[in-house]
């Protein structure tokens, strides 16, 4: 939250939760490990199931051509020619989190063999509208409280503080209460996303081999009927395509 506003943090979190290929860039190597694992920790009680390499050596950049999800850290300043300059071939989009410049973009390969950098990818569903409003409100309240406390402690006026959703300049120490509040907000968000999923579990069913069969253990189609049509893309992808669930 010292480098990205709350909307950006929510989007980074969405990309991780939906198991996209996500690359974090920073010229400061000390930022990569805490930033990446800090984001992953917000998934609780879910657990990330794929490879995480917080600082990927340049000799191993070829692994970025993997078709499986991953989270990686690159200790350098990002530029849009990163993939083409290194003759890296990617078959699908990669999310770029540029910590140095507080920017998020998506690199998409084109039919011509080059790359297009965009801000939005239709293949990555948005969070359900009501759930997103819930986490936005929680984060705004937490950040507002922190800014008020800092204003009181430093005698600063409200107008001197950073824009809403952005708590200030880098290298400012954040107390444990703030971290705990953020973790609780995302835990509440995660629980709210799947508040009624237990209704669609069928523990009585087992396959002929004696092992649970997911298609029958979880009634996906019945579950999807419960959600608004605008939210079904997210739930369909999250419930049927990710290893987190």
């Amino acid at each position: 939250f010292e480098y990205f506003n709350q909307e950006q943090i929510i989007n980074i979190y969405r990309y991780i939760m939906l198991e996209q290929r996500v690359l974090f860039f920073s010229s400061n190597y000390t930022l990569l490990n805490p930033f990446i694992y800090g984001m992953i920790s917000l998934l609780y009680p879910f657990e990330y199931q794929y490879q995480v390499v917080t600082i990927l050596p340049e000799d191993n950049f070829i692994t970025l051509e993997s078709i499986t999800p991953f989270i990686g850290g690159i200790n350098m300043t990002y530029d849009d020619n990163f993939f083409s300059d290194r003759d890296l071939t990617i078959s699908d989009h990669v999310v770029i989190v540029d910590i140095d410049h507080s920017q998020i973009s998506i690199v998409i390969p084109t039919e011509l063999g080059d790359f297009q950098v965009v801000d939005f990818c239709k293949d990555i569903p948005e969070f359900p509208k009501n759930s997103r409003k819930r986490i936005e409100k929680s984060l705004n309240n937490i950040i507002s409280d922190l800014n008020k406390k800092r204003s009181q402690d430093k005698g600063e006026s409200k107008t001197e503080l950073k824009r809403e959703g952005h708590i200030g300049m880098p290298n400012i120490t954040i107390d444990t209460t703030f971290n705990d509040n953020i973790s609780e907000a995302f835990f509440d968000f995660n629980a709210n996303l799947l508040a009624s999923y237990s209704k669609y579990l069928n523990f009585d069913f087992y396959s002929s081999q004696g092992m649970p069969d997911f298609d029958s253990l979880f009634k996906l189609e019945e579950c999807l009927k419960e959600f608004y049509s605008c939210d079904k893309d997210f739930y369909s992808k999250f419930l049927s395509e990710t290893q987190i669930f």
Side-chain angles (χ1 to χ4, degrees):
F1 287 87
E2 297 178 25
Y3 293 85
F4 295 92
N5 61 39
Q6 54 95 350
E7 182 178 354
Q8 291 174 308
I9 291 292
I10 293 171
N11 282 330
I12 296 171
Y13 184 73
R14 174 167 59 96
Y15 299 141
I16 292 175
M17 175 173 271
L18 291 177
E19 297 177 346
Q20 303 302 296
R21 293 182 290 176
V22 185
L23 277 180
F24 292 81
F25 283 80
S26 179
S27 57
N28 184 350
Y29 75 92
T30 64
L31 293 177
L32 292 169
N33 190 79
F35 199 103
I36 290 173
Y37 279 111
M39 290 300 306
I40 293 175
S41 71
L42 298 178
L43 288 171
Y44 183 81
F46 304 116
E47 293 185 7
Y48 188 74
Q49 301 295 317
Y50 290 96
Q51 185 178 29
V52 178
V53 181
T54 56
I55 299 181
L56 183 67
E58 189 163 358
D59 290 345
N60 293 338
F61 280 178
I62 190 66
T63 61
L64 300 179
E65 296 184 351
S66 170
I67 62 173
T68 60
F70 61 75
I71 296 175
I74 305 292
N75 182 207
M76 61 177 59
T77 299
Y78 174 72
D79 69 77
D80 290 342
N81 297 318
F82 173 79
F83 291 97
S84 57
D85 286 350
R86 293 162 180 81
D87 294 325
L88 293 172
T89 301
I90 57 173
S91 59
D92 203 351
H93 57 265
V94 176
V95 176
I96 303 298
V97 181
D98 182 354
I99 300 175
D100 291 345
H101 300 101
S102 302
Q103 295 180 347
I104 305 168
S105 57
I106 301 173
V107 176
I108 301 177
T110 71
E111 295 180 354
L112 299 177
D114 56 1
F115 303 96
Q116 180 182 12
V117 180
V118 299
D119 297 324
F120 170 81
C121 178
K122 61 181 177 62
D123 294 330
I124 310 176
E126 293 287 343
F127 277 133
K129 187 175 182 180
N130 289 337
S131 296
R132 182 163 186 127
K133 286 182 177 179
R134 185 187 186 97
I135 188 63
E136 286 176 347
K137 181 178 179 180
S138 296
L139 295 182
N140 278 331
N141 289 339
I142 294 169
I143 293 169
S144 177
D145 289 344
L146 180 64
N147 279 335
K148 288 178 182 178
K149 183 177 184 299
R150 286 182 171 174
S151 179
Q152 293 170 354
D153 291 345
K154 297 181 180 181
E156 298 173 344
S157 68
K158 187 175 181 180
T159 57
E160 293 174 326
L161 298 176
K162 284 284 180 176
R163 66 185 183 277
E164 182 181 17
H166 195 295
I167 67 172
M169 296 301 291
N171 302 321
I172 295 177
T173 302
I174 300 177
D175 60 30
T176 56
T177 301
F178 176 84
N179 291 333
D180 290 344
N181 289 341
I182 293 296
S183 295
E184 289 177 8
F186 275 94
F187 179 84
D188 175 74
F189 172 75
N190 295 337
N192 177 259
L193 276 178
L194 296 176
S196 60
Y197 88 99
S198 60
K199 295 191 301 184
Y200 304 101
L201 292 175
N202 181 11
F203 290 110
D204 295 329
F205 181 88
Y206 289 88
S207 67
S208 59
Q209 290 77 25
M211 296 295 291
D213 179 87
F214 178 79
D215 291 336
S216 299
L217 182 62
F218 185 76
K219 304 170 185 177
L220 177 62
E221 295 303 320
E222 289 186 34
C223 181
L224 290 177
K225 293 178 182 178
E226 177 176 319
F227 304 115
Y228 294 115
S229 58
C230 59
D231 297 335
K232 286 185 179 180
D233 284 347
F234 170 81
Y235 281 108
S236 178
K237 187 173 186 66
F238 180 64
L239 296 176
S240 65
E241 297 181 25
T242 71
Q243 297 298 311
I244 282 181
F245 177 69

